Amino acid sequence: MSDSDTTVPTANADPRGSTAPAAVLAPLDDRLTDLVALYEDLHRHPELGFQETRTAAEAARRLTAHGYDVTTGIAETGVVGVLRNGPGPVVLLRADMDALPVTENSGLDYASTVPGRMHACGHDVHVTCLLGAADLLAAGRDHWSGTLIALFQPAEEVGSGARAMLDAGLYSKGLVPTPDVVLAQHVAPFGAGLIAYCPGPCMAASDSLEITFHGTGGHGSRPETTIDPILMAASFVQRVQSVVAREIAPKDQAVVTVGSFHAGDTANVIPDRAVVRLSVRTFDETVRTAVLAAIDRIARAEAAASGADRAPDTEVLDAFPVTVNDAETLQEVNERFAELFGPERLFAYGPATGSEDAGLLATAAGAPLYYWWLGGWDPTEFQTALAAGRLAQDIPSNHSPQFVPVVRPTLTMGVEALTAAAMGRLGAGGGVR
């Protein structure tokens, strides 16, 4: 979201209102010390996609203790807990578990202890909040009926975790009942104590590509005997920026970013290949198709212009679909949020060009999705930066080595939001034990 098109309210320290579902949320204060310790432990021990064994084991242990039927090892490290509590809807709450290959630079006493690994996108917050909500909902099962699924997903950052769990038979083999609704949240760098929402398409489709340009290597002193793939790839990097600027209408959204360029090993040798990695973000399938076709055309044209004997090779590294919020579900859950937190703590935002795979869990079930943003930054620091027009400069974004949400009220509000959202879709009280 940008500070130019979003009006952000002010967050106070305690977001809870008097109309909270008190009976279910009442134990939260007593659980907070344990949840903070869990969060700090997860933050100290980040694990990359499909390697989240420690995190998955803790999720499974806690779900089992709360009375859930637990299945582990789905797509390597995925975990699900199912709590059947009489007739009613099936509600799936999802949290992603994986960290990033980022070296932390936060200075916190609970900073990552794993070199080159960090929870730089807040998935440790997501896991903690879902475990907290799973605990409260299990303890308060006399106040709702239906079936609750707590799903802990691996490998969101590489775009393959949700698909891998589905391919492993999440629904088709009955590892969990097919949900009637999928709910998820993501911590974000705006003021803690706030929730942001976006109706309809809320996060972009993403395609990550690796393009290998092939040339003819040789001595740096005799470039005439070579076909230089570095020049070829460099020309591509510059030219590919024209796709959004000159081939996509201003009313359409698209982003093309080259994030990696590798070629050669020494100064006086022209290599025989150059490898470029890039990310494409779009919100419309027609625009997506046009952008990908333009990238392929430009890559081939630059190779031909250089006289290459071989066309570039393109590999798709990962692909996320557009994340689409169901309007009716969003409205119903937001009514719960407004009752719980106060309507002034909710604000709408425009579609974000980040990407997610949670929507696959909903699409595969034919169920609606609601995916909201949870404020996680110090409210005073955020408001100061917002007023000065310095959000981009002063507030670290997700994936930054300085992105560490404040513990309170982020964890409190995250647990409450998931609990309230689930109760809003489950049946009214009196399930069976």
Short mmCIF file of all heavy atoms in Angstrom, two decimals, residues 38-99:
data_model
loop_
_atom_site.label_atom_id
_atom_site.label_comp_id
_atom_site.label_asym_id
_atom_site.label_seq_id
_atom_site.Cartn_x
_atom_site.Cartn_y
_atom_site.Cartn_z
N LEU A 38 6.64 -18.24 22.87
CA LEU A 38 6.58 -19.04 21.65
C LEU A 38 7.04 -18.22 20.45
O LEU A 38 7.86 -18.67 19.65
CB LEU A 38 5.15 -19.54 21.42
CG LEU A 38 4.87 -20.17 20.05
CD1 LEU A 38 5.70 -21.44 19.85
CD2 LEU A 38 3.37 -20.46 19.90
N TYR A 39 6.51 -17.01 20.33
CA TYR A 39 6.89 -16.15 19.21
C TYR A 39 8.39 -15.87 19.19
O TYR A 39 9.04 -15.98 18.14
CB TYR A 39 6.12 -14.83 19.28
CG TYR A 39 6.70 -13.76 18.40
CD1 TYR A 39 6.64 -13.87 17.01
CD2 TYR A 39 7.36 -12.66 18.96
CE1 TYR A 39 7.22 -12.90 16.20
CE2 TYR A 39 7.92 -11.70 18.15
CZ TYR A 39 7.85 -11.82 16.78
OH TYR A 39 8.43 -10.88 15.98
N GLU A 40 8.95 -15.52 20.33
CA GLU A 40 10.38 -15.23 20.37
C GLU A 40 11.21 -16.47 20.04
O GLU A 40 12.26 -16.37 19.38
CB GLU A 40 10.75 -14.66 21.74
CG GLU A 40 10.16 -13.28 21.99
CD GLU A 40 10.55 -12.70 23.33
OE1 GLU A 40 11.21 -13.41 24.12
OE2 GLU A 40 10.20 -11.53 23.60
N ASP A 41 10.76 -17.63 20.48
CA ASP A 41 11.46 -18.87 20.16
C ASP A 41 11.41 -19.15 18.66
O ASP A 41 12.43 -19.52 18.04
CB ASP A 41 10.85 -20.04 20.92
CG ASP A 41 11.56 -21.35 20.65
OD1 ASP A 41 12.70 -21.53 21.10
OD2 ASP A 41 10.97 -22.20 19.95
N LEU A 42 10.25 -18.98 18.05
CA LEU A 42 10.14 -19.18 16.60
C LEU A 42 11.01 -18.19 15.85
O LEU A 42 11.64 -18.54 14.84
CB LEU A 42 8.68 -19.03 16.16
CG LEU A 42 7.70 -20.09 16.65
CD1 LEU A 42 6.27 -19.71 16.26
CD2 LEU A 42 8.05 -21.46 16.10
N HIS A 43 11.06 -16.95 16.35
CA HIS A 43 11.88 -15.95 15.66
C HIS A 43 13.36 -16.29 15.75
O HIS A 43 14.11 -16.03 14.80
CB HIS A 43 11.62 -14.56 16.25
CG HIS A 43 12.19 -13.46 15.41
ND1 HIS A 43 11.54 -12.95 14.31
CD2 HIS A 43 13.38 -12.80 15.48
CE1 HIS A 43 12.30 -12.02 13.75
NE2 HIS A 43 13.42 -11.91 14.45
N ARG A 44 13.78 -16.86 16.86
CA ARG A 44 15.19 -17.23 17.01
C ARG A 44 15.58 -18.40 16.10
O ARG A 44 16.76 -18.57 15.79
CB ARG A 44 15.47 -17.65 18.45
CG ARG A 44 15.50 -16.53 19.48
CD ARG A 44 16.01 -17.04 20.81
NE ARG A 44 15.95 -16.01 21.84
CZ ARG A 44 14.98 -15.91 22.74
NH1 ARG A 44 14.00 -16.80 22.75
NH2 ARG A 44 14.99 -14.94 23.64
N HIS A 45 14.61 -19.21 15.70
CA HIS A 45 14.90 -20.45 14.97
C HIS A 45 14.15 -20.50 13.65
O HIS A 45 13.26 -21.34 13.45
CB HIS A 45 14.54 -21.66 15.84
CG HIS A 45 15.29 -21.71 17.14
ND1 HIS A 45 14.76 -21.21 18.31
CD2 HIS A 45 16.52 -22.18 17.43
CE1 HIS A 45 15.64 -21.39 19.29
NE2 HIS A 45 16.72 -21.97 18.78
N PRO A 46 14.46 -19.61 12.71
CA PRO A 46 13.76 -19.60 11.41
C PRO A 46 14.16 -20.80 10.56
O PRO A 46 15.30 -21.27 10.60
CB PRO A 46 14.25 -18.29 10.78
CG PRO A 46 15.61 -18.07 11.38
CD PRO A 46 15.52 -18.59 12.79
N GLU A 47 13.20 -21.27 9.78
CA GLU A 47 13.42 -22.42 8.89
C GLU A 47 12.87 -22.10 7.50
O GLU A 47 11.78 -21.55 7.37
CB GLU A 47 12.73 -23.66 9.45
CG GLU A 47 13.25 -24.08 10.82
CD GLU A 47 12.39 -25.15 11.47
OE1 GLU A 47 11.18 -24.90 11.68
OE2 GLU A 47 12.93 -26.23 11.76
N LEU A 48 13.62 -22.46 6.47
CA LEU A 48 13.20 -22.21 5.10
C LEU A 48 12.11 -23.18 4.66
O LEU A 48 11.79 -24.15 5.35
CB LEU A 48 14.41 -22.30 4.16
CG LEU A 48 15.54 -21.30 4.40
CD1 LEU A 48 16.64 -21.50 3.37
CD2 LEU A 48 15.03 -19.86 4.37
N GLY A 49 11.53 -22.90 3.48
CA GLY A 49 10.44 -23.68 2.95
C GLY A 49 10.75 -25.17 2.83
O GLY A 49 11.82 -25.54 2.35
N PHE A 50 9.81 -25.99 3.26
CA PHE A 50 9.90 -27.45 3.29
C PHE A 50 10.97 -27.95 4.25
O PHE A 50 11.30 -29.13 4.25
CB PHE A 50 10.13 -28.02 1.88
CG PHE A 50 9.01 -27.77 0.93
CD1 PHE A 50 9.21 -27.04 -0.25
CD2 PHE A 50 7.73 -28.25 1.19
CE1 PHE A 50 8.17 -26.81 -1.13
CE2 PHE A 50 6.68 -28.01 0.31
CZ PHE A 50 6.90 -27.29 -0.85
N GLN A 51 11.50 -27.05 5.09
CA GLN A 51 12.46 -27.45 6.13
C GLN A 51 11.95 -27.09 7.52
O GLN A 51 12.71 -27.12 8.49
CB GLN A 51 13.81 -26.76 5.88
CG GLN A 51 14.45 -27.08 4.55
CD GLN A 51 15.70 -26.25 4.28
OE1 GLN A 51 16.37 -25.80 5.21
NE2 GLN A 51 16.00 -26.04 3.01
N GLU A 52 10.66 -26.79 7.65
CA GLU A 52 10.12 -26.23 8.90
C GLU A 52 9.82 -27.34 9.92
O GLU A 52 8.73 -27.38 10.52
CB GLU A 52 8.85 -25.42 8.62
CG GLU A 52 8.98 -24.39 7.53
CD GLU A 52 8.51 -24.90 6.17
OE1 GLU A 52 8.51 -26.14 5.99
OE2 GLU A 52 8.15 -24.09 5.33
N THR A 53 10.76 -28.23 10.13
CA THR A 53 10.51 -29.39 10.99
C THR A 53 10.30 -28.99 12.45
O THR A 53 9.42 -29.53 13.13
CB THR A 53 11.67 -30.39 10.88
OG1 THR A 53 12.90 -29.71 11.16
CG2 THR A 53 11.76 -30.98 9.48
N ARG A 54 11.10 -28.08 12.95
CA ARG A 54 10.99 -27.66 14.34
C ARG A 54 9.68 -26.92 14.58
O ARG A 54 8.97 -27.16 15.57
CB ARG A 54 12.18 -26.78 14.71
CG ARG A 54 12.32 -26.45 16.18
CD ARG A 54 13.57 -25.60 16.41
NE ARG A 54 13.81 -25.35 17.83
CZ ARG A 54 13.20 -24.40 18.52
NH1 ARG A 54 12.30 -23.61 17.92
NH2 ARG A 54 13.47 -24.23 19.80
N THR A 55 9.36 -26.01 13.67
CA THR A 55 8.12 -25.24 13.78
C THR A 55 6.91 -26.16 13.68
O THR A 55 5.96 -26.05 14.47
CB THR A 55 8.06 -24.18 12.67
OG1 THR A 55 9.22 -23.36 12.73
CG2 THR A 55 6.82 -23.31 12.82
N ALA A 56 6.94 -27.09 12.73
CA ALA A 56 5.83 -28.01 12.53
C ALA A 56 5.63 -28.90 13.76
O ALA A 56 4.48 -29.17 14.17
CB ALA A 56 6.08 -28.87 11.30
N ALA A 57 6.72 -29.35 14.35
CA ALA A 57 6.61 -30.21 15.53
C ALA A 57 5.94 -29.47 16.69
O ALA A 57 5.13 -30.05 17.43
CB ALA A 57 7.99 -30.71 15.94
N GLU A 58 6.29 -28.20 16.88
CA GLU A 58 5.68 -27.43 17.96
C GLU A 58 4.20 -27.18 17.68
O GLU A 58 3.36 -27.25 18.60
CB GLU A 58 6.41 -26.10 18.14
CG GLU A 58 5.89 -25.23 19.27
CD GLU A 58 6.02 -25.85 20.65
OE1 GLU A 58 6.75 -26.86 20.80
OE2 GLU A 58 5.39 -25.34 21.59
N ALA A 59 3.86 -26.89 16.43
CA ALA A 59 2.45 -26.71 16.08
C ALA A 59 1.67 -27.99 16.35
O ALA A 59 0.58 -27.96 16.93
CB ALA A 59 2.32 -26.29 14.62
N ALA A 60 2.22 -29.13 15.94
CA ALA A 60 1.54 -30.41 16.14
C ALA A 60 1.39 -30.72 17.63
O ALA A 60 0.34 -31.21 18.08
CB ALA A 60 2.30 -31.52 15.43
N ARG A 61 2.43 -30.44 18.41
CA ARG A 61 2.38 -30.72 19.85
C ARG A 61 1.28 -29.91 20.52
O ARG A 61 0.48 -30.45 21.32
CB ARG A 61 3.73 -30.38 20.49
CG ARG A 61 3.82 -30.72 21.98
CD ARG A 61 5.09 -30.19 22.61
NE ARG A 61 5.08 -28.73 22.75
CZ ARG A 61 4.45 -28.08 23.73
NH1 ARG A 61 3.73 -28.76 24.63
NH2 ARG A 61 4.50 -26.77 23.80
N ARG A 62 1.19 -28.64 20.19
CA ARG A 62 0.20 -27.79 20.83
C ARG A 62 -1.21 -28.14 20.36
O ARG A 62 -2.15 -28.16 21.18
CB ARG A 62 0.51 -26.32 20.55
CG ARG A 62 1.72 -25.81 21.35
CD ARG A 62 2.11 -24.39 20.97
NE ARG A 62 3.20 -23.90 21.81
CZ ARG A 62 3.06 -23.03 22.81
NH1 ARG A 62 1.88 -22.52 23.09
NH2 ARG A 62 4.11 -22.65 23.51
N LEU A 63 -1.40 -28.40 19.09
CA LEU A 63 -2.73 -28.78 18.60
C LEU A 63 -3.21 -30.07 19.26
O LEU A 63 -4.37 -30.19 19.65
CB LEU A 63 -2.70 -28.95 17.08
CG LEU A 63 -2.55 -27.67 16.25
CD1 LEU A 63 -2.41 -28.04 14.77
CD2 LEU A 63 -3.74 -26.73 16.44
N THR A 64 -2.32 -31.03 19.39
CA THR A 64 -2.68 -32.29 20.05
C THR A 64 -3.10 -32.03 21.50
O THR A 64 -4.10 -32.58 21.98
CB THR A 64 -1.50 -33.26 20.00
OG1 THR A 64 -1.16 -33.53 18.64
CG2 THR A 64 -1.85 -34.58 20.70
N ALA A 65 -2.35 -31.18 22.19
CA ALA A 65 -2.68 -30.87 23.57
C ALA A 65 -4.03 -30.18 23.70
O ALA A 65 -4.71 -30.32 24.73
CB ALA A 65 -1.58 -29.99 24.18
N HIS A 66 -4.44 -29.46 22.66
CA HIS A 66 -5.73 -28.76 22.69
C HIS A 66 -6.88 -29.64 22.21
O HIS A 66 -8.03 -29.17 22.15
CB HIS A 66 -5.67 -27.51 21.82
CG HIS A 66 -4.64 -26.51 22.25
ND1 HIS A 66 -4.32 -26.28 23.57
CD2 HIS A 66 -3.85 -25.67 21.53
CE1 HIS A 66 -3.38 -25.36 23.65
NE2 HIS A 66 -3.07 -24.97 22.44
N GLY A 67 -6.62 -30.89 21.87
CA GLY A 67 -7.68 -31.82 21.50
C GLY A 67 -7.99 -31.95 20.03
O GLY A 67 -9.00 -32.54 19.65
N TYR A 68 -7.13 -31.43 19.18
CA TYR A 68 -7.34 -31.54 17.73
C TYR A 68 -6.86 -32.90 17.23
O TYR A 68 -5.92 -33.49 17.78
CB TYR A 68 -6.55 -30.45 16.99
CG TYR A 68 -7.11 -29.06 17.15
CD1 TYR A 68 -6.97 -28.36 18.35
CD2 TYR A 68 -7.77 -28.43 16.11
CE1 TYR A 68 -7.48 -27.07 18.50
CE2 TYR A 68 -8.28 -27.14 16.24
CZ TYR A 68 -8.13 -26.48 17.44
OH TYR A 68 -8.64 -25.21 17.59
N ASP A 69 -7.50 -33.39 16.17
CA ASP A 69 -6.99 -34.54 15.43
C ASP A 69 -5.91 -34.02 14.49
O ASP A 69 -6.20 -33.22 13.59
CB ASP A 69 -8.10 -35.22 14.63
CG ASP A 69 -9.18 -35.83 15.53
OD1 ASP A 69 -8.82 -36.31 16.62
OD2 ASP A 69 -10.36 -35.81 15.13
N VAL A 70 -4.69 -34.45 14.67
CA VAL A 70 -3.54 -33.84 14.01
C VAL A 70 -2.94 -34.78 12.97
O VAL A 70 -2.76 -35.98 13.22
CB VAL A 70 -2.46 -33.45 15.05
CG1 VAL A 70 -1.24 -32.86 14.35
CG2 VAL A 70 -3.04 -32.44 16.04
N THR A 71 -2.63 -34.22 11.81
CA THR A 71 -1.91 -34.93 10.76
C THR A 71 -0.66 -34.13 10.43
O THR A 71 -0.73 -32.92 10.20
CB THR A 71 -2.75 -35.10 9.49
OG1 THR A 71 -3.98 -35.77 9.83
CG2 THR A 71 -2.01 -35.91 8.44
N THR A 72 0.48 -34.80 10.41
CA THR A 72 1.75 -34.13 10.13
C THR A 72 2.37 -34.68 8.85
O THR A 72 1.89 -35.65 8.27
CB THR A 72 2.74 -34.33 11.30
OG1 THR A 72 3.01 -35.73 11.45
CG2 THR A 72 2.17 -33.79 12.59
N GLY A 73 3.44 -34.04 8.41
CA GLY A 73 4.19 -34.52 7.25
C GLY A 73 3.48 -34.37 5.93
O GLY A 73 3.82 -35.06 4.96
N ILE A 74 2.51 -33.47 5.83
CA ILE A 74 1.81 -33.24 4.56
C ILE A 74 2.70 -32.34 3.70
O ILE A 74 3.03 -31.23 4.10
CB ILE A 74 0.45 -32.58 4.79
CG1 ILE A 74 -0.39 -33.38 5.78
CG2 ILE A 74 -0.31 -32.43 3.47
CD1 ILE A 74 -1.66 -32.68 6.21
N ALA A 75 3.10 -32.83 2.53
CA ALA A 75 4.05 -32.08 1.69
C ALA A 75 5.30 -31.75 2.50
O ALA A 75 5.68 -30.59 2.64
CB ALA A 75 3.42 -30.82 1.11
N GLU A 76 5.88 -32.77 3.08
CA GLU A 76 7.09 -32.69 3.90
C GLU A 76 6.81 -32.20 5.30
O GLU A 76 6.96 -32.93 6.27
CB GLU A 76 8.16 -31.80 3.23
CG GLU A 76 8.58 -32.24 1.84
CD GLU A 76 9.27 -33.59 1.83
OE1 GLU A 76 9.80 -34.00 2.87
OE2 GLU A 76 9.25 -34.24 0.78
N THR A 77 6.40 -30.95 5.47
CA THR A 77 6.32 -30.37 6.82
C THR A 77 4.96 -29.77 7.15
O THR A 77 4.81 -29.18 8.23
CB THR A 77 7.40 -29.28 6.98
OG1 THR A 77 7.30 -28.36 5.89
CG2 THR A 77 8.79 -29.89 7.00
N GLY A 78 3.97 -29.87 6.28
CA GLY A 78 2.67 -29.29 6.57
C GLY A 78 1.97 -30.00 7.72
O GLY A 78 2.11 -31.21 7.91
N VAL A 79 1.22 -29.24 8.50
CA VAL A 79 0.50 -29.76 9.67
C VAL A 79 -0.93 -29.26 9.62
O VAL A 79 -1.19 -28.09 9.31
CB VAL A 79 1.14 -29.27 10.98
CG1 VAL A 79 0.33 -29.73 12.20
CG2 VAL A 79 2.58 -29.75 11.10
N VAL A 80 -1.88 -30.15 9.93
CA VAL A 80 -3.27 -29.73 10.07
C VAL A 80 -3.82 -30.31 11.37
O VAL A 80 -3.48 -31.41 11.78
CB VAL A 80 -4.15 -30.19 8.89
CG1 VAL A 80 -3.76 -29.46 7.62
CG2 VAL A 80 -4.09 -31.70 8.68
N GLY A 81 -4.67 -29.52 12.00
CA GLY A 81 -5.42 -29.97 13.16
C GLY A 81 -6.89 -29.78 12.89
O GLY A 81 -7.30 -28.72 12.40
N VAL A 82 -7.70 -30.79 13.18
CA VAL A 82 -9.14 -30.73 12.93
C VAL A 82 -9.87 -30.91 14.26
O VAL A 82 -9.62 -31.87 15.00
CB VAL A 82 -9.59 -31.81 11.94
CG1 VAL A 82 -11.10 -31.74 11.71
CG2 VAL A 82 -8.84 -31.68 10.62
N LEU A 83 -10.76 -29.97 14.56
CA LEU A 83 -11.57 -30.03 15.78
C LEU A 83 -13.04 -30.09 15.37
O LEU A 83 -13.61 -29.10 14.91
CB LEU A 83 -11.30 -28.80 16.65
CG LEU A 83 -11.95 -28.80 18.04
CD1 LEU A 83 -11.43 -29.96 18.89
CD2 LEU A 83 -11.70 -27.47 18.74
N ARG A 84 -13.63 -31.27 15.52
CA ARG A 84 -15.05 -31.48 15.17
C ARG A 84 -15.89 -31.22 16.41
O ARG A 84 -15.69 -31.84 17.45
CB ARG A 84 -15.25 -32.89 14.64
CG ARG A 84 -14.55 -33.14 13.31
CD ARG A 84 -14.64 -34.59 12.87
NE ARG A 84 -14.10 -34.77 11.53
CZ ARG A 84 -12.81 -34.96 11.26
NH1 ARG A 84 -11.93 -35.00 12.27
NH2 ARG A 84 -12.41 -35.12 10.01
N ASN A 85 -16.85 -30.32 16.25
CA ASN A 85 -17.61 -29.85 17.41
C ASN A 85 -19.09 -29.74 17.05
O ASN A 85 -19.71 -28.68 17.16
CB ASN A 85 -17.06 -28.50 17.88
CG ASN A 85 -17.60 -28.08 19.23
OD1 ASN A 85 -17.75 -28.89 20.13
ND2 ASN A 85 -17.90 -26.79 19.38
N GLY A 86 -19.63 -30.86 16.57
CA GLY A 86 -21.04 -30.89 16.23
C GLY A 86 -21.33 -30.38 14.84
O GLY A 86 -20.44 -30.07 14.06
N PRO A 87 -22.62 -30.29 14.49
CA PRO A 87 -23.00 -29.84 13.14
C PRO A 87 -22.70 -28.37 12.93
O PRO A 87 -22.68 -27.58 13.87
CB PRO A 87 -24.51 -30.10 13.10
CG PRO A 87 -24.94 -30.03 14.54
CD PRO A 87 -23.79 -30.58 15.34
N GLY A 88 -22.45 -28.03 11.66
CA GLY A 88 -22.18 -26.64 11.34
C GLY A 88 -21.14 -26.51 10.25
O GLY A 88 -20.63 -27.52 9.73
N PRO A 89 -20.78 -25.29 9.91
CA PRO A 89 -19.83 -25.04 8.82
C PRO A 89 -18.44 -25.56 9.16
O PRO A 89 -18.08 -25.78 10.32
CB PRO A 89 -19.82 -23.51 8.70
CG PRO A 89 -21.06 -23.06 9.38
CD PRO A 89 -21.34 -24.05 10.46
N VAL A 90 -17.65 -25.74 8.10
CA VAL A 90 -16.25 -26.11 8.22
C VAL A 90 -15.41 -24.87 7.90
O VAL A 90 -15.47 -24.33 6.80
CB VAL A 90 -15.88 -27.26 7.26
CG1 VAL A 90 -14.40 -27.61 7.39
CG2 VAL A 90 -16.75 -28.48 7.53
N VAL A 91 -14.64 -24.41 8.88
CA VAL A 91 -13.86 -23.18 8.76
C VAL A 91 -12.38 -23.53 8.81
O VAL A 91 -11.93 -24.19 9.75
CB VAL A 91 -14.22 -22.18 9.87
CG1 VAL A 91 -13.30 -20.96 9.82
CG2 VAL A 91 -15.68 -21.76 9.76
N LEU A 92 -11.62 -23.07 7.81
CA LEU A 92 -10.18 -23.31 7.76
C LEU A 92 -9.44 -22.02 8.06
O LEU A 92 -9.64 -21.01 7.38
CB LEU A 92 -9.77 -23.86 6.39
CG LEU A 92 -8.33 -24.36 6.23
CD1 LEU A 92 -8.25 -25.43 5.13
CD2 LEU A 92 -7.35 -23.24 5.90
N LEU A 93 -8.59 -22.06 9.08
CA LEU A 93 -7.68 -20.96 9.41
C LEU A 93 -6.29 -21.36 8.98
O LEU A 93 -5.82 -22.44 9.35
CB LEU A 93 -7.70 -20.65 10.90
CG LEU A 93 -9.05 -20.30 11.53
CD1 LEU A 93 -8.86 -20.04 13.02
CD2 LEU A 93 -9.68 -19.10 10.86
N ARG A 94 -5.60 -20.52 8.25
CA ARG A 94 -4.29 -20.89 7.68
C ARG A 94 -3.20 -19.94 8.16
O ARG A 94 -3.38 -18.73 8.24
CB ARG A 94 -4.39 -20.87 6.17
CG ARG A 94 -3.10 -21.10 5.42
CD ARG A 94 -2.43 -19.79 5.09
NE ARG A 94 -1.47 -19.88 4.00
CZ ARG A 94 -0.77 -18.87 3.53
NH1 ARG A 94 -0.93 -17.66 4.04
NH2 ARG A 94 0.07 -19.02 2.54
N ALA A 95 -2.03 -20.52 8.47
CA ALA A 95 -0.82 -19.75 8.75
C ALA A 95 0.34 -20.38 7.98
O ALA A 95 0.44 -21.60 7.88
CB ALA A 95 -0.51 -19.75 10.24
N ASP A 96 1.20 -19.55 7.42
CA ASP A 96 2.40 -20.04 6.76
C ASP A 96 3.55 -20.04 7.76
O ASP A 96 3.58 -19.24 8.69
CB ASP A 96 2.74 -19.22 5.51
CG ASP A 96 2.48 -17.73 5.68
OD1 ASP A 96 2.25 -17.29 6.82
OD2 ASP A 96 2.50 -17.01 4.67
N MET A 97 4.53 -20.94 7.55
CA MET A 97 5.56 -21.18 8.57
C MET A 97 6.97 -20.78 8.15
O MET A 97 7.85 -20.67 9.01
CB MET A 97 5.60 -22.66 8.93
CG MET A 97 4.32 -23.24 9.48
SD MET A 97 4.55 -24.96 10.03
CE MET A 97 4.79 -25.81 8.45
N ASP A 98 7.24 -20.62 6.87
CA ASP A 98 8.64 -20.55 6.42
C ASP A 98 9.24 -19.16 6.58
O ASP A 98 8.55 -18.14 6.57
CB ASP A 98 8.77 -21.00 4.96
CG ASP A 98 7.84 -20.26 4.01
OD1 ASP A 98 6.72 -19.90 4.42
OD2 ASP A 98 8.23 -20.02 2.85
N ALA A 99 10.57 -19.16 6.73
CA ALA A 99 11.35 -17.93 6.83
C ALA A 99 12.02 -17.63 5.49
O ALA A 99 11.74 -18.28 4.49
CB ALA A 99 12.40 -18.08 7.94
#
